[in-house]
Amino acid sequence: MSSQALRVDPKTQLFEDDFAANSADLPGAGLSWLDSRRVLAMESFAATGVPTRRMEAWKYTDLAGALDGELEPATLFRADTAATTTDVFADLPGTRVVLMNGFLHYIGGTALTDDIDIVDLTQLSARTPEWVRLYLGTGPTGGGPGLGTASLALMRGGIAVRVRAGAQGLSPLHLRFINPSRSQPLMCHSRVLIVLEEDAQLDLLESHSGVTSEQVLANLGVEFVLKKNARLNQIRVQEEGTHTLHITSLDARVAGGAHYQSLLVNLGAHLSRVDMNVRLEEPLASVGIRAATVLGGEAAADVTTIVDHAAPHTKSRQLFKSVVGGRAKAVSQGRVTVRKGAVKSDSHQMFKALLLAPRAEADAKPELEIFADDVVCGHGTAIGALDEDALFYLRSRGILAAEARQMMVRAFLEDAIGEGTSEAIHDAIWARIDAAMTNVEDVP
Amino acid sequence: MLEIQDLHVRVDGKEILKGLTLSVPTGEVHAVMGPNGSGKSTLSYTLAGREGYEIVSGKILFNGEDLAPLSSDARAARGVFLAMQYPVEIPGVTTINFLKTALNAQRRARNESELDALRVLKLVREKAKALNVPEEMLRRALNVGFSGGEKKRLEVLQMSLFEPKLAVLDETDSGLDIDALRMIAESVNAMRGPSRTMLVITHYQRLLTYIVPNRIHVLASGRIVKSGGPELALVLEEKGYEHLIGEPA
Ligand SMILES: Nc1ncnc2c1ncn2[C@@H]1O[C@H](COP(=O)(O)OP(=O)(O)O)[C@@H](O)[C@H]1O
Ligand SMILES: [Mg+2]
């Protein structure tokens, strides 16, 4: 903290001021386990501050530059959510949870069974269940500089979910995040904790949206804890408003035999960054990450992952696909670490981008750190424009230019979206991608 | 009626067609023959409206309408079809889905009702049978991993599916064995009719024993240097292009 006095950084100051002024009123204030985690998190955040492009992990994404200096902390807001944005997964069954500016707003849909517990993080108290206390804010929050620590230190709301041991065949859990701006620029710091006990399985359908007229910083910290042989299938569609800075810092801890599958569909926001830190902790833990980004205008989207093979016989598969038009920018960074002794680790990363406009940008950065023998680690990168020959072929058959481009974009993204999703989910996602594509095409 | 008048076409700043004049009356099949590099594919791409094929001067009229200002999709909707010398592979787009999308795009542009998936499948199956195209091929990605012969058969299948008014076949015979050649010739011959105009582009005379054209034009260095009846193919077979190039048409 000694450097603090020397630094003149109003962006970081914004967070520190919020903490100084409001920490005594934050949810769960006075609970010693939480107070100490918040203080530690704030110290850790202050040590690096709001990331700038001078930091290696943020060299492509200018968060400090994009951040408004006048953000007010969001407060609990009761409003009609139905009218604001399209619910991506409206036609799919499941338990529906709506979070508004980071606050739990609504729980409905399929009735909750005994297999799932949900805790509102605004209601933390001495009676909060043990499992929340055990895990909330204990992950390494991001794995590098970022806003993950701030999302804990300044947490205003969010939810914790636990799926009981052996619970399978549950209807999906929908987490619908709506982050509208109101009359003033807002910052929303919230957390999600999901614990899957041994052999539990969960489908998580996550959407992020919001109509904005002012800047909204949606700063979300996520922790997933997968115990032995658990399976989490996360499908996430991010179509935040045009003024939104969407930052998600996600930590997943994957125990032996457990599998974490994640599909990140990034379609919106002014700037988005998903920092994913996945630790494969025990033998036979595995993770599959697929990111599909479709951007136009001046938007920027960044998916940065760290996959840590901390045990032998662990497996990771990552596929990053970006379609970029206008002057947009898609960044994909993936670091795979294989620790000493993590023999028979098996990892693969593939980065592909399709540039639809001369000023569109895609950056891909694979990184490998291998400290074990007898491992298989591969990666590949391909960035290019639409195949003009193919485009002409389709058009010569009567297919209009826009439709031909759309066919080729679909073909490009299909393996990222298609595999492992049900037809209904697949259709829901494609409906949003098609909508996003029309915006991408609109702006030259 | 296709009328090409004194056509000059530039590609990447280089003039490739240098005053090409050619007319094909409606209902006729004409052949364009020429050595490699003479501009055959350039002519076919120009007819199909490929971007980058810049018409410097001259005219292309089809049934009286100037094709130059029309995009390639608009030309397709008006009945222009090009069977390409090198059909393009498009990963991720299944052949049957492509055929359906293309057929309906053309119909939509002509204000005709779109056909549902079942109708299209039925139509395509019919055409596929005549060309010995296996059903399994239709479910694969467009042209991906198809043999040379399979690609060419799919081009001809498209021609019979779209029923164009002007069909241009660019070296559809190259790389085919004799059985495939016969089959393709049969499909082409079946499509000859009083309201269809066809331009068969080839390097070899072989195809023209199966598809007997009304007239043959010899293309060399971007110009038609000689035109004649079907017997011209035999002269070329015997004496080669050499003796024609050099002496003016
Ligand atoms: N994109 C291009 N840029 C420059 N020259 C080209 C291009 N495409 C073709 N050519 C040239 O134009 C001439 C005619 O080519 P092409 O029409 O393909 O001939 P053919 O089909 O008769 O073999 C050749 O000399 C070839 O090298
Ligand atoms: Mg050619």
Side-chain angles (χ1 to χ4, degrees):
Chain A
M1 299 287 284
S2 58
S3 66
Q4 198 179 358
L6 300 173
R7 194 182 51 230
V8 187
D9 173 5
K11 306 284 169 79
T12 301
Q13 199 63 48
L14 187 71
F15 296 76
E16 291 183 279
D17 288 351
D18 182 19
F19 192 67
N22 300 314
S23 64
D25 302 319
L26 296 176
L31 298 170
S32 60
W33 62 270
L34 184 59
D35 285 346
S36 58
R37 286 175 203 175
R38 286 196 194 256
V39 168
L40 267 173
M42 198 61 213
E43 283 174 3
S44 157
F45 168 74
T48 49
V50 173
T52 69
R53 297 189 66 172
R54 286 190 301 276
M55 295 170 184
E56 180 61 22
W58 288 81
K59 69 175 175 186
Y60 298 114
T61 298
D62 189 7
L63 177 59
L67 193 70
D68 195 315
E70 306 290 319
L71 302 175
E72 290 285 326
T75 50
L76 194 61
F77 174 53
R78 294 281 166 213
D80 180 22
T81 56
T84 54
T85 48
T86 325
D87 183 358
V88 183
F89 301 114
D91 296 333
L92 287 134
T95 301
R96 293 176 187 281
V97 176
V98 176
L99 292 111
M100 188 77 127
N101 290 135
F103 295 96
L104 177 61
H105 184 81
Y106 168 86
I107 299 182
T110 311
L112 286 174
T113 64
D114 286 348
D115 288 327
I116 297 194
D117 301 317
I118 296 185
V119 172
D120 180 352
L121 295 181
T122 58
Q123 304 299 315
L124 293 172
S125 71
R127 290 189 306 280
T128 294
E130 177 66 19
W131 59 269
V132 176
R133 234 175 307 164
L134 211 51
Y135 295 109
L136 182 68
T138 58
T141 47
L147 299 188
T149 44
S151 75
L152 178 66
L154 301 171
M155 173 183 76
R156 296 305 206 281
I159 59 164
V161 176
R162 182 178 66 148
V163 183
R164 300 273 167 95
Q168 299 185 1
L170 305 175
S171 61
L173 175 65
H174 296 241
L175 292 187
R176 185 176 171 204
F177 296 81
I178 306 175
N179 295 311
S181 63
R182 306 202 286 277
S183 45
Q184 86 270 36
L186 290 179
M187 55 179 173
C188 321
H189 303 284
S190 60
R191 301 283 299 190
V192 167
L193 165 67
I194 296 182
V195 179
L196 267 59
E197 300 288 356
E198 289 189 11
D199 299 302
Q201 298 189 359
L202 182 69
D203 288 326
L204 178 64
L205 300 178
E206 215 182 300
S207 66
H208 301 257
S209 64
V211 176
T212 54
S213 54
E214 302 281 343
Q215 184 168 97
V216 174
L217 170 66
N219 182 29
L220 175 67
V222 179
E223 285 168 286
F224 292 149
V225 179
L226 279 70
K227 302 214 182 151
K228 281 194 197 316
N229 301 315
R231 298 183 79 82
L232 175 63
N233 183 25
Q234 175 190 28
I235 292 169
R236 165 194 242 258
V237 176
Q238 182 273 102
E239 39 183 3
E240 298 271 22
T242 46
H243 295 76
T244 305
L245 309 181
H246 172 104
I247 310 292
T248 295
S249 310
L250 187 153
D251 288 285
R253 281 169 271 178
V254 186
H259 180 66
Y260 168 38
Q261 185 67 43
S262 181
L263 169 60
L264 309 172
V265 181
N266 303 301
L267 307 175
H270 173 62
L271 178 155
S272 73
R273 162 98 167 196
V274 177
D275 257 306
M276 254 187 156
N277 187 22
V278 180
R279 201 171 129 98
L280 303 173
E281 297 189 316
E282 294 171 355
L284 301 176
S286 59
V287 62
I289 300 168
R290 287 176 286 135
T293 298
V294 177
L295 281 193
E298 312 231 326
D302 178 337
V303 177
T304 295
T305 66
I306 298 175
V307 172
D308 183 354
H309 289 257
H313 295 277
T314 46
K315 181 174 170 180
S316 64
R317 288 289 175 272
Q318 299 185 72
L319 176 62
F320 302 82
K321 287 206 157 177
S322 307
V323 176
V324 199
R327 294 197 216 168
K329 172 154 100 167
V331 178
S332 314
Q333 307 185 100
R335 187 163 93 216
V336 170
T337 303
V338 179
R339 298 228 201 164
K340 198 159 175 253
V343 294
K344 306 277 183 198
S345 286
D346 173 358
S347 89
H348 194 264
Q349 289 171 279
M350 178 57 84
F351 301 81
K352 288 189 176 178
L354 200 52
L355 302 175
L356 300 180
R359 300 179 72 176
E361 179 180 334
D363 302 288
K365 193 171 104 183
E367 263 184 289
L368 272 174
E369 296 176 323
I370 303 176
F371 304 105
D373 297 326
D374 193 15
V375 301
V376 180
C377 295
H379 65 81
T381 305
I383 298 177
L386 271 184
D387 178 354
E388 288 297 329
D389 292 339
L391 212 51
F392 167 64
Y393 190 86
L394 295 175
R395 294 188 66 189
S396 77
R397 269 48 176 159
I399 300 169
L400 298 179
E403 191 176 6
R405 288 157 78 94
Q406 198 180 46
M407 277 176 93
M408 291 179 64
V409 167
R410 268 183 174 260
F412 174 78
L413 290 175
E414 184 54 41
D415 60 343
I417 307 296
E419 282 165 30
T421 51
S422 76
E423 198 169 320
I425 291 173
H426 186 260
D427 290 351
I429 294 172
W430 273 112
R432 304 316 304 154
I433 292 179
D434 285 346
M437 267 304 290
T438 57
N439 297 334
V440 172
E441 294 277 6
D442 277 350
V443 188
Chain B
M1 171 98 164
L2 172 68
E3 290 174 273
I4 304 172
Q5 299 164 357
D6 193 25
L7 186 67
H8 291 253
V9 169
R10 203 150 53 190
V11 184
D12 285 341
K14 188 176 151 200
E15 188 165 292
I16 310 286
L17 299 185
K18 302 164 183 165
L20 188 146
T21 298
L22 178 67
S23 54
V24 188
T26 303
E28 291 197 1
V29 176
H30 285 200
V32 170
M33 299 185 71
N36 282 332
S38 57
K40 302 187 297 294
S41 291
T42 303
L43 171 62
S44 54
Y45 283 145
T46 306
L47 289 171
R50 180 163 195 162
E51 279 167 25
Y53 287 71
E54 184 199 347
I55 298 177
V56 183
S57 64
K59 268 199 162 27
I60 306 172
L61 301 175
F62 182 57
N63 294 339
E65 184 181 18
D66 184 4
L67 291 185
L70 301 178
S71 64
S72 34
D73 42 270
R75 293 184 202 198
R78 277 171 177 73
V80 178
F81 176 80
L82 167 63
M84 292 192 201
Q85 183 177 3
Y86 302 109
V88 183
E89 301 188 359
I90 308 187
V93 174
T94 62
T95 304
I96 186 69
N97 181 40
F98 157 74
L99 293 173
K100 173 172 165 265
T101 308
L103 184 60
N104 279 330
Q106 293 182 24
R107 294 179 66 92
R108 210 180 309 138
R110 292 193 292 258
N111 288 321
E112 296 165 6
S113 66
E114 292 185 34
L115 303 181
D116 62 38
L118 220 62
R119 276 289 299 282
V120 176
L121 189 63
K122 213 168 148 249
L123 260 175
V124 171
R125 275 194 182 133
E126 222 171 83
K127 312 289 183 194
K129 216 167 150 205
L131 285 156
N132 216 357
V133 169
E135 181 105 18
E136 165 270 331
M137 220 170 101
L138 301 172
R139 287 190 298 267
R140 275 154 60 191
L142 183 58
N143 288 322
V144 177
F146 291 15
S147 71
E150 285 174 332
K151 286 179 183 168
K152 295 303 175 77
R153 271 183 281 163
L154 187 66
E155 294 294 291
V156 176
L157 185 154
Q158 291 176 57
M159 177 173 72
S160 56
L161 180 67
F162 301 149
E163 302 182 325
K165 291 197 175 76
L166 171 63
V168 180
L169 290 92
D170 188 3
E171 296 209 32
T172 302
D173 53 330
S174 63
L176 292 184
D177 62 34
I178 196 74
D179 290 335
L181 190 72
R182 270 206 202 105
M183 204 151 47
I184 279 180
E186 261 169 45
S187 283
V188 172
N189 285 330
M191 291 203 65
R192 294 176 86 147
S195 59
R196 187 164 289 126
T197 307
M198 290 173 121
L199 200 57
V200 177
I201 294 174
T202 181
H203 179 75
Y204 302 104
Q205 156 284 336
R206 196 176 62 152
L207 178 68
L208 304 183
T209 59
Y210 297 100
I211 304 173
V212 181
N214 300 86
R215 282 187 75 72
I216 295 179
H217 309 274
V218 179
L219 178 62
S221 305
R223 271 190 212 95
I224 300 297
V225 293
K226 188 165 184 78
S227 298
E231 69 286 349
L232 186 56
L234 298 171
V235 178
L236 287 169
E237 169 79 347
E238 221 169 280
K239 301 193 175 169
Y241 290 109
E242 253 37 354
H243 89 112
L244 276 180
I245 304 167
E247 74 172 69

